[in-house]
Amino acid sequence: MLKQIETRAANRLTSGGQIVNVSTVSKEGVADVMTAAWNTPYDSDQVLVVLAKEHTTTRNIIETGKFVVTIPHEGQIEAINKVGSIHGRDSGDKFEWAGITPEVSAKLGFKIMPDPLACIECELLDRETLVKTGVCIGRAISISVQEGLWDAEKSSFAAGFSRTLHYITESAYYTNGRIIAVERNYTNMGSGS
């Protein structure tokens, strides 16, 4: 028997809320990174991330046409919560602000969260849609995956892979069939970008 639930849970049923980090650089060269749960594949070489129109990340992508999506793992919950807790306009270089030593993406040379499961470097496909709606569609120009986590024959994560994080709330994530409760050790300064 099916049970009725609230309609605003539609996104939880269809996407699972996999967490990604989105790295950008401003026209002035200031690095920014945010944590996003609203994302999905759009085509075989395209990703879609929903962003708040007023955020630093959105402005940077509109101005440069480039961004990097990385997939974090369970060991990065504290870092992804921290970079998601403040606006880039308030922090300057968010990696420096958060005390995170970044890696650098292979093609664009953007600062990214260290030790990601995967990294998708993108070019913006539809500036007008991003400006009007906050829906950011990017075409992959370079993809990197952690050694041993990719099955090239099946073109998917390797068998047994299950370390991606899925958003429940800022203090709870779902991974590998279990919920992880998280204590936040910093002041929430609003939704970060």
Side-chain angles (χ1 to χ4, degrees), residues 157-172:
F157 277 115
F161 175 78
S162 58
R163 296 181 351 185
T164 57
L165 291 169
H166 299 265
Y167 180 81
I168 298 173
T169 68
E170 291 178 348
S171 59

Side-chain angles (χ1 to χ4, degrees), residues 60-85:
N60 289 349
I61 295 170
I62 289 168
E63 292 177 350
T64 68
K66 306 219 181 321
F67 62 101
V68 179
V69 173
T70 56
I71 301 174
H73 55 77
E74 181 178 341
Q76 296 172 308
I77 291 174
E78 183 178 339
I80 65 175
N81 275 348
K82 191 166 188 177
V83 299
S85 72

Side-chain angles (χ1 to χ4, degrees), residues 3-15 38:
K3 173 186 171 183
Q4 290 287 306
I5 63 172
E6 57 190 339
T7 56
R8 67 186 186 119
N11 70 310
R12 299 282 175 89
L13 295 174
T14 57
S15 74
W38 293 69

Side-chain angles (χ1 to χ4, degrees), residues 11 14-22 34-52 57-58 61 67-71 120-127 129-130 133-141 143:
N11 70 310
T14 57
S15 74
Q18 177 176 305
I19 294 295
V20 298
N21 289 112
V22 180
M34 68 165 289
T35 302
W38 293 69
N39 60 88
T40 186
Y42 190 68
D43 204 338
S44 60
D45 66 343
Q46 297 170 25
V47 296
L48 183 150
V49 181
V50 180
L51 307 169
T57 300
T58 308
I61 295 170
F67 62 101
V68 179
V69 173
T70 56
I71 301 174
I120 308 168
E121 298 178 82
C122 299
E123 291 180 340
L124 180 64
L125 283 180
D126 188 343
R127 184 181 183 279
T129 296
L130 178 56
T133 67
V135 173
C136 178
I137 304 168
R139 175 177 291 126
I141 58 172
I143 300 176

Side-chain angles (χ1 to χ4, degrees), residues 23-35:
S23 293
T24 61
V25 175
S26 71
K27 289 188 311 186
E28 297 78 26
V30 178
D32 185 56
V33 61
M34 68 165 289
T35 302

